Amino acid sequence: MYLDNKDDSAISRKVDMELTQASVPHHVDLLGDMAAEPISNNFGELKLLKEMMAVQAEPQKSYPNSVREPDCCITLGKDFSPLAFHGRYHFSLPKFFCTKSKDSSFTEKTPLLKVSSEENGLRCMAVHNTDFTTDDDSWENSSAEFEHRFHPGSKRTSLSRSASSSEKCEILDTFHGKFSLHKVRCCLRFLKVSGLFIFVVVCSILFSIHPESGMLWQMLAVSPMDSYTINFTNAHDSALLKVELGGPFVADVVDRRPDEFILVQIGQVEDLGPKRRHQQQILHNWTLPLDSKKSEQIIVSRTFEMLNSKENSISVQAFLQESQIVPLSMTYRYLHANVETQVTIASVILAGVYALIIFEIVHRTLAAMLGSLAALATLAVIGDKPSLVKVVEWIDFETLALLFGMMLLVAIFSETGFFDYCAVKAYRLSRGKVWAMIIILCLIAAILSAFLDNVTTMLLFTPVTIRLCEVLNLDPRHVLIAEVIFTNIGGASTAIGDPPNVIIVSKQELRKAGLDFAAFTGHMFVGICLVLLVSFPFLRLLYWNKKLYNKEPSEIVELKHEIHVWRLTAQRINPASREETAVKCLLMQKVLALDMLLRKKLTTFHRQISQEDKNWETNIQELQKKHRITDKILLIKCLTVLGFVILMFFLNSFVPGIHLDLGWIAMLGAMWLLVLANIHDFEMILNRVEWATLLFFAALFVLMEALAHLHLIEYIGEQTASLIKVVPEEQRLTVAIILVLWVSALASSLIDNIPFTATMIPVLLNLSQDPDVNLPVKPLVFSLAMGACLGGNGTLIGASANVVCAGIAEQHGYGFSFMEFFRLGFPMMIMSCTIGMCYLLVSHVVLGWT
């Protein structure tokens, strides 16, 4: 940023311009638009800057021969002449005029404090027009409006007093139309804010008035000879009983006949009269396999439906090979809503979150936070309110640590110019052909995601892609969406490419069934290769009518993007001190200068778009001179640390001696690089971290876990299993593969695929071990993996890589909405799942491989 300038008088003159322009009444031009308004929405900031600079500024020489024009413009000589301004301000306020300068004009490199004072002529300039651009307007609409208004040869003149009555009526109609539209927008904004605020207040009250759930944990000891029984009174409005048990249970083993287990019986006590004994009726049996020699305590929970009875009982008994005592801990609580009611409320909450994201009512991070609050309030109302410690345990800090560490690595990596260098190399490899370049990028992303985490792949690829598209004047959004789609597809090919695959391979029971790393990867790799072969032509078909090039020349696109970045930078500055206020005012002055330059370019530059760059060899030579490695020593350090981190990611799945999770590896690598790079301006690096994305994932983890406590995910698994059981045995395997794959795909596109996969694995294992169903477990697990991985392409929040890519693109000024991703991702998800389904049906039904 060009912030250094010793010409304080120039600053004073600019501030004087702003203050005076704010005092000038609006005038109406021939086009029916309101006249220029001040640049800054905060008049006090410019006034403060004026007062700061007035101390050091020398008095300007006045020109007595200046003439006042009818349209509030004043004819000046070769400088700004102060005018007496009477009123609440006690300093002179000169009018601001722009005249022809000896230099070309404002450029992208124009310093913030530079004001040209050498003028050859005289012309009146509108400082700012409210219709120029706003934060909500797109660049495309503003560009069309600019070309319409500032077409070469057209001249804007002030409205004459002798204008016809018809022109005045048109101007008034236009003004009233804009005013009515503004009133409608204000009303909708007020209704949105009011509704969301009332919703937050109600949820907060409901969450605060209910105490934390459950009774105190009870310590008990059971043995084959002694059992533990407790009787308790049932609440009249209670529909469910939730029991939590802690002990040396074996969580990863699902066996119908365990050698050692704990039997929990839930029953009701019937009162047969004063002279007769109480009779106990068993309602539910709960068998928990355990290892009596283990010292680790595992907490398990289950919810039981209760009948209307005055008194219920819980009986706990141990069945062990040896006569010994097993220590256990237990707690129970009543819930005031049945499973169907909880599932309905959970579905409404999930639908509300998606409505907020789809229609962009609020930011997706705030939408996830609102959904989490609603789910927590629901748990509090039904009697299952979690503690703060419990809610924090729901957050997957390994994923957050992985994201944070890799974001720090990429932020330091970007300082070397390596991303620009890679963009030029990719352009050279594609020989100027856009689709060849897109296919190369997508193929590399798919291959890398097969061996790395999808999030890591997109963290590395997104900055390179954005810089490449800026060089080639492409729209980065379409290319980024294609890359993240193929990243999710490639991640499904190996056992370490996607979290659902890691969960499946880590299950001991599935390993005993023959689903080890090699078997799983070999089977999935063939299917994903077939999906990739069909996905590339299908992607070309989806992009057939889409213009990948920007509608404006690259020069104008880059200038608009620079204006957007400068404006965002100014908005992010909190004017807490006089210095920060001054800097914010200077940034807004820079935006004004670039706005003026953009107007000039639009009057002289016509759109020239070519679908294939025929001068790619000449462009490559120019790009290679412009985009080079800026810091080779830092690049060597970054490549060394990043290569070691990626190697550790890969070895972590094979070498049992490495006791580090992915999050720890990323955090340690970030610390190494921070030390090696000798970073002093740590705040600059932290500003490049996607804090909104990290907060979104934290809120999403809480939301998904709360929905799981509301039995939504469990209900989906049980309904899927019940549908499979009613199918005739001849078609049962075919229907099971189709049903499990599509349910997994659709569910993973709406909710997080990690808890869904963890919930569905026990359901599928029980189906395979049920003698009445008689289904092999391998086809069911492969269907689950195929659907859970490929289903992430359905929506923007269906996969972690989608959210990370959208967050980084938004930080660079190229954010894409939920619907923009949905229009491309959902058809790709349908196609890829169809190919995967056909592959599984041929392998397991036609060929009979089980």
Side-chain angles (χ1 to χ4, degrees), residues 441-462 465 479-494 496-499 501 528 532 535-536 789-790 792-793 799-802 804-805 821 828:
L441 290 176
C442 292
L443 186 60
I444 295 176
I447 294 174
L448 284 180
S449 62
F451 302 99
L452 297 177
D453 186 77
N454 295 352
V455 173
T456 305
T457 303
M458 291 313 301
L459 282 170
L460 297 175
F461 255 72
T462 303
T465 304
V479 184
L480 289 175
I481 293 175
E483 279 185 2
V484 75
I485 288 174
F486 278 88
T487 298
N488 294 327
I489 294 176
S493 60
T494 63
I496 60 174
D498 220 1
N501 297 354
I528 295 302
L532 287 174
S535 297
F536 282 111
C789 295
L790 299 180
N793 288 328
S800 303
N802 305 353
V804 171
C805 179
F821 185 91
M828 288 292 294

Side-chain angles (χ1 to χ4, degrees), residues 75-360:
T75 306
L76 302 177
K78 294 185 177 181
D79 207 341
F80 298 95
S81 54
L83 295 177
F85 185 85
H86 302 285
R88 52 186 285 187
Y89 302 104
H90 303 287
F91 44 83
S92 61
L93 301 175
K95 297 294 179 181
F96 179 66
F97 283 84
C98 179
T99 59
K100 296 180 181 179
S101 175
K102 290 181 179 180
D103 49 13
S104 59
S105 181
F106 289 101
T107 65
E108 295 91 339
K109 302 298 182 181
T110 303
L112 289 174
L113 307 183
K114 180 179 179 180
V115 177
S116 177
S117 59
E118 298 179 3
E119 301 162 349
N120 297 329
L122 175 67
R123 64 184 178 93
C124 178
M125 183 193 68
V127 176
H128 181 68
N129 194 305
T130 56
D131 294 335
F132 169 64
T133 183
T134 61
D135 293 337
D136 297 331
D137 295 335
S138 64
W139 288 117
E140 299 177 0
N141 297 334
S142 62
S143 173
E145 184 179 355
F146 285 149
E147 292 200 5
H148 176 71
R149 291 188 180 185
F150 304 102
H151 193 274
S154 64
K155 296 181 179 179
R156 299 191 60 178
T157 59
S158 61
L159 181 62
S160 174
R161 295 181 179 179
S162 59
S164 63
S165 60
S166 60
E167 293 177 346
K168 293 181 179 179
C169 292
E170 292 179 0
I171 294 174
L172 291 177
D173 292 340
T174 304
F175 174 75
H176 287 304
K178 291 183 178 180
F179 182 73
S180 300
L181 183 60
H182 178 70
K183 288 182 63 177
V184 172
R185 290 179 178 177
C186 291
C187 292
L188 292 177
R189 188 181 300 111
F190 175 78
L191 292 176
K192 180 192 77 172
V193 174
S194 302
L196 291 178
F197 180 74
I198 294 173
F199 172 79
V200 171
V201 171
V202 171
C203 291
S204 302
I205 293 175
L206 292 176
F207 186 75
S208 61
I209 62 177
H210 291 86
E212 291 185 3
S213 61
M215 302 175 61
L216 296 177
W217 284 86
Q218 302 179 14
M219 305 302 296
L220 57 141
V222 295
S223 66
M225 305 299 296
D226 299 326
S227 62
Y228 176 84
T229 303
I230 180 175
N231 296 334
F232 50 91
T233 304
N234 186 10
H236 295 289
D237 58 345
S238 299
L240 298 176
L241 175 66
K242 184 176 182 179
V243 179
E244 294 185 67
L245 207 62
F249 303 115
V250 183
D252 292 335
V253 174
V254 179
D255 198 344
R256 297 181 64 248
R257 292 184 179 180
D259 296 332
E260 296 180 337
F261 61 93
I262 295 292
L263 178 62
V264 181
Q265 293 181 332
I266 310 297
Q268 66 179 8
V269 180
E270 297 181 357
D271 190 1
L272 301 179
K275 298 182 179 180
R276 303 181 63 180
R277 298 179 60 184
H278 295 280
Q279 183 178 359
Q280 183 177 2
Q281 180 183 359
I282 304 300
L283 300 179
H284 305 282
N285 289 322
W286 184 19
T287 302
L288 295 171
L290 61 82
D291 185 0
S292 59
K293 298 181 181 180
K294 283 182 59 177
S295 59
E296 182 183 1
Q297 296 287 313
I298 297 177
I299 297 178
V300 293
S301 63
R302 187 171 177 181
T303 305
F304 305 95
E305 294 185 3
M306 303 303 295
L307 301 177
N308 293 328
S309 176
K310 295 182 179 180
E311 189 174 359
N312 295 320
S313 66
I314 300 177
S315 176
V316 182
Q317 186 175 1
F319 294 87
L320 307 175
Q321 293 180 346
E322 300 177 359
S323 179
Q324 56 181 341
I325 297 176
V326 178
L328 301 175
S329 57
M330 184 183 68
T331 184
Y332 62 91
R333 69 184 67 95
Y334 281 111
L335 304 182
H336 309 302
N338 55 25
V339 175
E340 289 75 14
T341 303
Q342 295 184 35
V343 170
T344 302
I345 297 175
S347 302
V348 171
I349 293 174
L350 186 62
V353 172
Y354 268 87
L356 293 176
I357 297 176
I358 291 173
F359 298 104
E360 298 183 357

Side-chain angles (χ1 to χ4, degrees), residues 637-657:
K637 297 177 181 178
C638 292
L639 289 177
T640 303
V641 174
L642 186 62
F644 181 77
V645 169
I646 294 176
L647 180 63
M648 292 296 293
F649 283 165
F650 184 74
L651 295 180
N652 183 56
S653 303
F654 303 100
V655 181

Side-chain angles (χ1 to χ4, degrees), residues 773-827:
V773 178
N774 192 21
L775 284 176
V777 67
K778 287 184 179 180
L780 300 180
V781 172
F782 283 128
S783 302
L784 174 64
M786 193 78 70
C789 295
L790 299 180
N793 288 328
T795 61
L796 179 61
I797 63 176
S800 303
N802 305 353
V803 181
V804 171
C805 179
I808 298 177
E810 185 177 358
Q811 189 182 40
H812 286 78
Y814 300 105
F816 45 86
S817 64
F818 182 94
M819 293 305 299
E820 287 176 338
F821 185 91
F822 182 81
R823 283 192 289 265
L824 297 172
F826 194 77

Side-chain angles (χ1 to χ4, degrees), residues 477-543:
R477 295 172 298 176
H478 300 308
V479 184
L480 289 175
I481 293 175
E483 279 185 2
V484 75
I485 288 174
F486 278 88
T487 298
N488 294 327
I489 294 176
S493 60
T494 63
I496 60 174
D498 220 1
N501 297 354
V502 177
I503 295 175
I504 291 173
V505 176
S506 62
K507 290 293 180 180
Q508 295 292 335
E509 186 69 14
L510 295 177
R511 290 185 179 181
K512 293 180 180 179
L515 279 177
D516 55 0
F517 182 89
F520 183 87
T521 302
H523 189 52
M524 291 291 294
F525 182 79
V526 177
I528 295 302
C529 287
L530 296 176
V531 173
L532 287 174
L533 291 177
V534 183
S535 297
F536 282 111
F538 189 75
L539 178 69
R540 184 68 181 91
L541 182 64
L542 290 177
Y543 280 22

Side-chain angles (χ1 to χ4, degrees), residues 707-757:
L707 295 181
H709 278 68
L710 291 173
H711 305 283
L712 177 62
I713 301 177
E714 181 182 355
Y715 181 80
I716 295 174
E718 292 177 353
Q719 294 300 316
T720 303
S722 61
L723 289 176
I724 294 175
K725 290 180 180 180
V726 299
V727 177
E729 187 175 357
E730 293 78 10
Q731 294 86 23
R732 186 170 296 165
L733 180 58
T734 303
V735 174
I737 292 175
I738 297 175
L739 195 60
V740 171
L741 188 145
W742 285 107
V743 169
S744 302
L746 295 177
S748 298
S749 63
L750 298 177
I751 59 179
D752 191 6
N753 55 12
I754 296 177
F756 179 79
T757 304

